[in-house]
Amino acid sequence: QVQLVESGGGLVQSGGSLRLSCAASGITFSWFVMSWYRQAPGKDRDLVASIPSTGADGSANYADSVKGRFTISRDNAKNTVYLQMNSLKPEETAVYYCHAQNRLRRLGPYWGQGTQVTVSS
């Protein structure tokens, strides 16, 4: 059974930082592109950042709005992907979701249950 479990959300003041974690189980973690999405109330779920599977070409990819402030990373030994978020803005209040997919092997997509991030002004 595949599980993606996010943690690290919470309430932070504008300009503050949070680090989200997503622990995966039931998958061969290194095979998967791991991503973070976010969804604000009444809005679409948008891609925030993604990181390639281990050994794949390419580097991390970020939404333009978070470049230079957010960093995605992965620890294959812990089956965990992280999202370091700095200089947070109130408009980034949303539920943040972890996502895993391997298109080549037709595995996934898998989603976590989400973690709430609230940025106060």
Side-chain angles (χ1 to χ4, degrees), residues 41-118:
K43 295 190 176 181
D44 293 336
R45 189 174 296 188
D46 295 325
L47 177 66
V48 176
S50 63
I51 188 166
S53 57
T54 303
D57 291 335
S59 57
N61 181 56
Y62 297 91
D64 287 343
S65 61
V66 308
K67 285 180 180 176
R69 299 186 297 117
F70 288 15
T71 303
I72 188 171
S73 61
R74 65 190 300 157
D75 185 338
N76 288 342
K78 296 183 178 180
N79 285 3
T80 300
V81 62
Y82 304 97
L83 184 67
Q84 177 67 44
M85 306 185 294
N86 299 328
S87 302
L88 282 160
K89 305 173 182 179
E91 56 264 37
E92 295 179 310
T93 293
V95 178
Y96 284 69
Y97 295 92
C98 181
H99 173 277
Q101 188 166 16
N102 183 315
R103 294 182 186 274
L104 186 62
R105 296 175 183 264
R106 300 184 181 180
L107 301 173
Y110 303 114
W111 291 93
Q113 83 288 350
T115 186
Q116 176 70 46
V117 171
T118 302

Side-chain angles (χ1 to χ4, degrees), residues 33-48:
V33 175
M34 300 300 299
S35 303
W36 288 95
Y37 285 74
R38 65 188 178 191
Q39 187 169 23
K43 295 190 176 181
D44 293 336
R45 189 174 296 188
D46 295 325
L47 177 66
V48 176

